[in-house]
């Protein structure tokens, strides 16, 4: 249709295309703020309200006598968006948005806003609701498109607005107020008509100095921090349900609630979490998996040693780079900034206590200072979450552990039976899915058998069991090959039992050492032995059940060779506690005093990681390096033991200490006996009835030979003067067993005592 001659108007140049106009400036400054284009009156039908320019850009059109024939007035912001230049020839055509056959009314309009002059730093606060209302009035019924640039004046201040996103909806629903800004979109489009009912949302342009106060409706909208399709099973973390729930409560719960509500409480979000505990318990796995459940930036994962550099200042620069993205976004978006997660593995490598490093360059201290400044310095960031992981919490600088920094301390300990079952199910999941797990495999039984196994060690058990299954299907000949029945390969319970023997827990029972202590078993040569074992079981039950005595220490004293160590080891092993360790002088031969203290302290610290523990301290006087000539003893070891004997384990941890000594009077002089909760005297054999009981147990003689040997000893009046340790008696019996005349050898050895 040719509109060039409408209402008698004619172009002077009949040869020029009437629909081709040259781009010019808007006729007035006020018209430049309307977001409309201007043409000369009479050029088009007054019923036409919208034009397409060059077939792509749609504008609201107005007639103005200040525009010359053959020109179209476009303001500078619109020219920048459409990439027009002054004097450029453009083609115009009338535009009917309803001809597209879809809903064209804007339900939601999301825009970025900034000062027109970006260097403007007005301190005035601009409310989003007021800006949205003014924008709706100024540009009502205009067609707006994605990416469009608009100049907008409010209260004498000019703003530049960019359309980021828009939704179009049914006009009837819009007029009834049934459309919410956060409702699911009905239609997506590239343009639509702005209505009075359109929900308008403004966000600051990145790097803007605009002080924008968010609308109440948006401020009270909860952040979708957790992914909507997330399931906790997807984490693949077994045995850490309680720990994960605690981390979620402390670190993420406040971030789910609306910022305005959190602001009312006057609290800041938790910025740091420290995960600590034994190696292999899932600290790194948990930290890495947290990122999967959050609508947050991709976590930055860095190992502690990677931060350090030999170049001056480079280590500190590496720390600053980790926080750079969070700082930049927080400056531009404030509380609307996304959550930035930084994960430090092996944190103790860079954050040792300041001043503890002797003879170094001080780089470590500088890194700690830089990290402290970034986490809780002058310019505080509220959009970061630091997750640190370490096996040695005691080495971390104390300033990092206070509230406002790494304030949530979560111990990731060894899993309990329920947790071990979860871990086994995770690691055997593919086996069960693919039907390569034998029906005799009982995961509940395996969970019970893997006391004090960490998650990594349970994974090792599953791998070892698989290797046994592989081994059954390998042909052994001149060259190793795969057997023909490999398709029928399945992992059986026997494979798991063999794997348990091969993969031993780092924190568990010193079974081999304890078995050596009782290799001859306990021989009840008198009622006192049974009484000692009974009392020992009572102390075990007390530690297991009593909430008032989480620490019980018992001193077994008696003459040398009376069986103190064997009794202590037996009580410990019968307890079935998951952690049983032996501290023995034999394991510390050649150690310096400092090394001994360190080793003893380590065993006690390891015991605190298990819910129920037993520590057997054998021959305390020898651990103290005591000798009667001099006399001499190690005061540093003594002081360490006295402290540890009284040190109560952490909450929900229980410890039984069983110590042995042959020099009680020496320990009394050192004021050490008072440190024990109870004492048990272990007697020697002082009657021939006791000797008889041992002989019957070891079956050295026949009944007749035994009676004859005891008769000879009675005639020698040994019943009144006999005093012999059970260990010495065992040695004599085994020596006599090697002689041809066993009776004579045995009797003579006893008479020689």
């Amino acid at each position: 249709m040719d509109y060039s001659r409408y209402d008698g108007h004619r172009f002077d140049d009949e040869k020029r295309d009437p629909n081709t106009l040259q781009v010019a400036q808007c006729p007035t400054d006020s018209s430049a703020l309307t977001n409309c284009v201007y043409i000369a009156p009479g050029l088009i039908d007054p019923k036409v309200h919208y034009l397409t320019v060059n077939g792509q850009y749609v504008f609201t059109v107005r007639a103005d006598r200040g525009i010359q024939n053959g020109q179209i007035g476009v303001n500078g912001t619109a020219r920048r968006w459409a990439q027009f230049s002054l004097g450029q020839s453009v083609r115009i055509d009338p535009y009917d948005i309803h001809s597209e056959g879809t809903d064209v009314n804007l339900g939601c309009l999301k825009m970025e806003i900034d000062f027109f002059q970006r260097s403007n730093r007005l301190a005035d606060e601009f409310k989003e609701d007021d800006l949205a209302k003014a924008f709706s009035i100024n540009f009502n019924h205009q067609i707006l498109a994605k990416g469009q640039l608009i100049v907008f004046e409010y209260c004498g201040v000019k703003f530049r607005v960019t359309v980021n996103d828009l939704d179009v909806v049914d006009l009837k629903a819009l007029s009834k107020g049934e459309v919410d800004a956060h409702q699911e979109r009905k239609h997506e489009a590239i343009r639509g008509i702005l209505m009075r009912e359109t929900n308008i949302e403004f966000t600051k342009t990145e790097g803007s100095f605009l002080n924008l106060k968010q609308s109440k409706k948006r401020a009270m909208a909860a952040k979708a921090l957790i992914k909507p399709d997330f399931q906790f099973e997807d984490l693949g973390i077994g045995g850490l349900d309680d720990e994960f729930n605690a981390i979620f409560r402390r670190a993420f719960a406040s971030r789910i609630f609306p910022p305005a509500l959190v602001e009312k409480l006057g609290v800041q979000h938790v910025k740091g979490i420290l995960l600590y505990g034994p190696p292999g318990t899932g600290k790194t796995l948990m930290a890495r998996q947290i990122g999967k459940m959050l609508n947050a930036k991709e976590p930055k994962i860095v190992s502690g040693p990677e931060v350090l550099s030999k170049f001056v200042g480079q280590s500190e620069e590496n720390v600053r780079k980790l926080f750079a993205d969070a700082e930049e976004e927080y400056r531009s978006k404030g509380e609307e900034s996304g959550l930035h997660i930084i994960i430090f593995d092996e944190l103790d490598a860079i954050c040792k206590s300041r001043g503890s490093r002797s003879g170094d360059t001080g780089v470590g201290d500088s890194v700690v200072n830089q990290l402290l400044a970034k986490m809780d310095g002058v310019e505080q960031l509220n959009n970061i979450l630091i997750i640190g992981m370490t096996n040695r919490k005691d080495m971390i600088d104390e300033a990092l552990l206070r509230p406002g920094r790494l304030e949530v301390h979560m111990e990731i300990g060894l899993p309990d039976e329920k947790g071990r079952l979860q871990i086994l199910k995770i690691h055997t999941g593919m086996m069960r899915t693919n039907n390569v797990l034998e029906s005799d495999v009982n995961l509940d039984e395996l969970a019970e058998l893997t006391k004090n196994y960490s998650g990594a060690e349970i994974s090792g058990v599953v791998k070892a069991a698989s290797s046994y299954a592989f081994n059954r299907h390998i042909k052994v000949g001149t060259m190793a090959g795969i057997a023909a029945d490999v398709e029928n390969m399945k992992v059986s319970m026997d494979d798991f039992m063999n794997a348990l023997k091969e993969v031993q827990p780092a924190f568990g029972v010193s079974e081999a050492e304890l078995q050596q202590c009782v290799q001859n078993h306990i021989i009840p040569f008198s009622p006192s032995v049974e009484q000692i074992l009974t009392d020992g079981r009572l102390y075990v039950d007390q530690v297991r059940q009593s909430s008032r005595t989480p620490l019980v220490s018992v001193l077994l004293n008696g003459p040398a060779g009376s069986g103190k160590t064997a009794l202590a080891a037996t009580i410990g092993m019968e307890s079935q506690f998951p952690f049983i360790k032996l501290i023995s002088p034999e394991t510390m031969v050649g150690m310096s005093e400092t090394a001994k203290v360190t080793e003893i302290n380590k065993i006690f610290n390891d015991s605190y990681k298990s819910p129920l523990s037993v520590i057997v301290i054998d021959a305390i006087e020898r651990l103290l390096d005591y000798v009667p000539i001099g006399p001499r003893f190690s005061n540093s070891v003594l002081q360490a033991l006295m402290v540890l004997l009284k040190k109560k384990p952490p909450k929900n941890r229980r410890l039984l200490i069983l110590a042995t000594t042959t020099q009680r009077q020496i320990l009394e002089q050192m004021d050490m006996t008072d440190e024990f909760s109870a004492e048990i005297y272990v007697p020697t054999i002082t009657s021939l009835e006791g000797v008889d009981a041992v002989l019957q147990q070891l079956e050295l003689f026949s009944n007749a030979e035994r009676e004859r040997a005891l008769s000879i000893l009675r005639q020698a009046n040994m019943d009144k003067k006999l005093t012999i340790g059970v260990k010495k008696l065992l040695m004599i019996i085994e020596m006599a067993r090697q002689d041809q005349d066993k009776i004579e050898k045995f009797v003579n050895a006893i008479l020689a005592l």
Side-chain angles (χ1 to χ4, degrees):
M1 181 182 295
D2 184 4
Y3 293 96
S4 60
R5 289 162 178 77
Y6 182 80
D7 197 24
H9 182 84
R10 304 178 69 83
F11 284 95
D12 295 332
D13 187 359
E14 294 289 344
K15 296 181 181 180
R16 183 174 56 79
D17 184 352
N19 290 346
T20 301
L21 305 176
Q22 286 187 336
V23 176
Q25 293 182 347
C26 288
T28 62
D29 291 343
S30 58
S31 62
L33 298 174
T34 61
N35 195 46
C36 298
V37 296
Y38 291 86
I39 59 175
L43 183 62
I44 61 172
D45 190 330
K47 295 180 181 179
V48 175
H49 299 292
Y50 307 110
L51 293 178
T52 58
V53 181
N54 284 347
Q56 182 178 359
Y57 303 99
V58 179
F59 292 97
T60 302
V61 61
R62 291 182 183 178
D64 192 290
R65 296 187 180 278
I67 290 292
Q68 298 180 9
N69 291 335
Q71 290 186 339
I72 180 170
V74 185
N75 68 27
T77 303
R79 293 199 302 270
R80 186 178 300 109
W81 169 56
Q83 298 180 343
F84 296 157
S85 58
L86 291 174
Q88 176 183 342
S89 295
V90 295
R91 178 176 177 80
I92 64 169
D93 292 288
Y95 179 72
D96 183 6
I97 193 169
H98 298 284
S99 65
E100 296 183 359
T102 60
D103 295 315
V104 296
N105 304 291
L106 290 175
C108 180
L109 184 63
K110 297 180 180 181
M111 297 177 289
E112 283 188 0
I113 187 170
D114 192 7
F115 292 119
F116 188 76
Q117 298 290 337
R118 295 201 66 176
S119 59
N120 197 340
R121 299 200 179 198
L122 286 177
D124 299 11
E125 182 181 78
F126 294 91
K127 296 181 179 179
E128 182 184 9
D129 289 333
D130 295 341
L131 289 171
K133 184 177 180 181
F135 187 91
S136 179
I137 293 172
N138 285 5
F139 304 110
N140 188 36
H141 279 92
Q142 287 200 27
I143 293 180
L144 303 179
K146 283 185 180 180
Q148 185 168 354
L149 299 177
I150 304 167
V151 61
F152 164 51
E153 187 175 47
Y154 171 73
C155 293
V157 180
K158 289 183 181 179
F159 300 93
R160 179 185 286 106
V161 174
T162 305
V163 178
N164 279 348
D165 200 5
L166 49 83
D167 302 335
V168 292
V169 294
D170 182 6
L171 182 60
K172 292 180 181 178
L174 191 66
S175 62
K176 293 178 182 179
E178 297 175 359
V179 176
D180 181 72
H182 300 280
Q183 192 176 16
E184 185 177 355
R185 298 177 180 181
K186 180 176 179 182
H187 294 298
E188 289 191 5
I190 60 170
R191 60 175 65 94
I193 299 176
L194 179 66
M195 311 293 291
R196 290 290 174 90
E197 298 84 0
T198 302
N199 287 301
I200 298 175
E201 297 180 6
F202 285 113
T203 56
K204 288 195 304 180
T205 303
E206 190 171 346
S208 172
F209 298 105
L210 175 64
N211 185 8
L212 179 66
K213 184 175 182 181
Q214 203 174 41
S215 67
K216 269 190 178 180
K217 188 175 182 180
R218 285 183 63 202
M220 292 306 294
K223 289 185 178 180
L225 182 64
I226 307 297
K227 292 180 180 178
D229 58 347
F230 171 77
Q231 294 182 345
F232 283 97
E233 291 81 3
D234 298 339
L235 287 178
I237 300 175
L240 296 174
D241 294 349
D242 293 340
E243 291 84 350
F244 193 85
N245 289 336
I247 289 174
F248 184 83
R249 174 178 57 82
R250 292 293 306 276
F252 299 120
S254 65
R255 296 180 185 274
I256 291 178
F257 286 92
L261 180 59
V262 178
E263 188 177 345
K264 286 182 179 180
L265 298 175
V267 296
Q268 286 196 330
H269 301 305
V270 167
K271 296 179 183 177
I273 305 171
L274 180 68
L275 305 180
Y276 66 96
T281 51
K283 300 182 295 297
T284 304
L285 175 63
M286 176 177 279
R288 290 176 184 271
Q289 297 295 75
I290 282 174
K292 289 186 178 180
M293 61 169 278
L294 300 177
N295 278 326
K297 308 291 183 182
E298 186 71 22
K300 294 180 180 179
I301 303 174
V302 59
S303 178
E306 293 176 4
V307 174
L308 301 177
S309 173
K310 65 179 180 180
F311 298 107
V312 176
Q314 187 61 49
S315 299
E316 296 88 330
E317 178 65 22
N318 292 340
V319 173
R320 288 194 291 272
K321 285 179 181 178
L322 293 172
F323 291 83
D325 293 342
E327 289 176 331
E328 186 176 350
E329 185 174 4
Y330 194 73
R331 279 196 296 267
S332 61
K333 296 184 179 180
E335 295 301 323
E336 288 300 303
S337 170
L339 179 62
H340 293 253
I341 300 175
I342 304 173
I343 299 173
F344 283 96
D345 202 0
E346 305 297 341
L347 185 67
D348 50 278
I350 60 171
C351 293
K352 288 187 176 71
S353 297
R354 287 169 290 180
S356 64
R357 303 173 178 87
S358 58
D360 70 352
T361 59
V363 172
D365 291 358
S366 299
V367 171
V368 175
N369 292 333
Q370 184 66 74
L371 192 58
L372 292 173
K374 286 298 179 184
M375 290 187 68
D376 194 26
V378 177
E379 297 182 4
Q380 291 188 356
L381 301 176
N382 212 19
N383 64 336
I384 60 169
L385 178 65
I386 311 298
I387 303 177
M389 293 166 288
T390 181
N391 303 329
R392 298 290 306 275
K393 179 186 174 184
D394 56 298
M395 296 177 65
I396 306 298
D397 192 280
E398 290 184 359
L400 266 175
L401 304 180
R402 73 159 175 78
R405 291 164 184 169
L406 296 178
E407 61 184 276
V408 178
H409 305 162
M410 186 60 58
E411 181 179 4
I412 310 299
L414 299 171
D416 56 13
E417 188 171 332
K418 179 183 175 184
R420 294 194 297 273
L421 180 60
Q422 288 181 357
I423 296 169
L424 283 165
K425 287 180 177 178
I426 290 169
H427 289 295
T428 59
M430 290 297 292
M431 294 181 185
R432 285 182 280 113
T433 303
N434 297 316
N435 196 27
V436 292
L437 199 65
E438 286 281 11
S439 58
D440 67 339
V441 175
N442 189 334
L443 295 183
D444 292 305
E445 183 180 347
L446 289 173
E448 186 179 353
L449 293 172
T450 49
K451 290 179 181 177
N452 266 34
Y453 277 74
S454 67
E457 287 162 345
I458 293 174
S459 174
V461 168
V462 176
K463 291 176 185 175
S466 302
S467 71
Y468 279 104
F470 285 132
N471 192 56
R472 286 200 306 275
H473 295 272
I474 293 177
K475 292 188 300 183
V476 179
T478 55
M479 294 183 65
I482 300 174
D485 61 344
V486 67
E487 292 184 359
N488 300 323
M489 182 184 74
K490 289 191 175 184
V491 184
S492 67
M493 190 65 175
D494 287 339
D495 296 328
F496 278 99
M497 298 308 292
N498 290 328
L500 287 174
K501 297 175 185 176
E502 186 175 294
V503 181
Q504 294 292 326
F507 300 90
V509 179
S510 303
E511 191 168 353
E513 296 175 2
L514 292 167
Q515 287 291 354
Q516 283 186 342
C517 296
V518 290
Q519 58 184 349
N520 295 315
H521 308 289
I522 299 298
I523 301 173
F525 57 83
S526 74
S528 61
V529 175
E530 286 295 340
Q531 186 60 48
I532 291 170
L533 292 174
T534 301
D535 290 345
R537 295 184 190 105
L538 289 175
Y539 291 126
V540 168
D541 291 340
Q542 179 182 353
V543 171
R544 180 185 284 115
Q545 299 171 9
S546 174
S547 59
R548 294 183 175 86
T549 53
L551 173 66
V552 175
S553 55
V554 182
L555 177 64
L556 283 75
N557 68 86
S562 56
K564 301 179 295 299
T565 304
L567 287 166
T570 300
I571 293 169
M573 287 192 294
E574 285 184 353
S575 71
Q576 294 294 306
F577 283 5
F579 184 95
I580 309 172
K581 288 292 183 182
L582 175 66
I583 298 177
S584 170
E586 284 81 359
T587 61
M588 299 187 182
V589 174
M591 284 189 180
S592 65
E593 291 186 17
T594 304
K596 280 186 180 182
V597 171
T598 302
E599 180 65 18
I600 293 170
N601 188 50
K602 179 181 181 300
I603 292 174
F604 271 83
N605 285 332
D606 289 346
S607 73
Y608 301 147
K609 296 167 185 173
S610 179
L612 293 168
S613 305
V614 176
I615 295 178
V616 178
I617 306 175
D618 190 26
I620 289 184
E621 67 279 358
R622 284 198 287 152
L623 280 174
L624 297 175
D625 295 334
Y626 169 77
V627 288
I629 302 174
R632 181 198 175 278
F633 67 94
S634 170
N635 187 53
S636 56
V637 176
L638 171 65
Q639 297 303 324
L641 282 173
M642 291 179 71
V643 169
L644 294 171
L645 286 170
K646 281 292 189 181
K647 181 181 178 182
K648 291 187 178 180
K651 186 179 179 182
N652 298 326
R653 300 289 190 268
R654 300 170 185 274
L655 174 62
L656 173 63
I657 302 171
L658 301 171
T660 70
T661 182
T662 59
Q663 302 284 346
R664 186 191 181 282
Q665 70 279 9
I666 300 302
L667 299 187
E668 190 172 7
Q669 293 176 17
M670 297 175 180
D671 294 331
M672 196 174 190
T673 53
D674 294 336
E675 305 300 321
F676 289 93
S677 310
E679 288 188 44
I680 296 176
Y681 179 74
V682 181
T684 56
I685 299 174
T686 58
S687 68
L688 291 179
E689 286 78 7
V691 174
D692 187 22
V694 177
L695 288 172
Q696 290 184 49
Q697 184 80 25
L698 297 183
E699 299 178 347
L700 173 63
F701 304 126
S702 64
N703 289 337
E705 290 173 330
R706 179 168 48 81
E707 287 297 334
R708 182 183 167 198
L710 292 173
S711 177
I712 295 172
L713 292 175
R714 286 192 189 96
Q715 291 175 6
N717 207 23
M718 287 300 294
D719 207 4
K720 295 183 178 179
K721 57 182 180 180
L722 180 66
T723 299
I724 184 173
V726 66
K727 189 183 293 184
K728 181 70 172 177
L729 180 58
L730 289 171
M731 182 64 67
I732 292 174
I733 290 173
E734 292 305 314
M735 180 182 66
R737 196 187 298 273
Q738 313 307 316
D739 199 277
Q740 290 183 349
D741 190 349
K742 294 185 288 187
I743 297 177
E744 183 180 1
K745 189 66 177 177
F746 175 75
V747 170
N748 290 336
I750 296 294
L751 292 173
L753 294 174

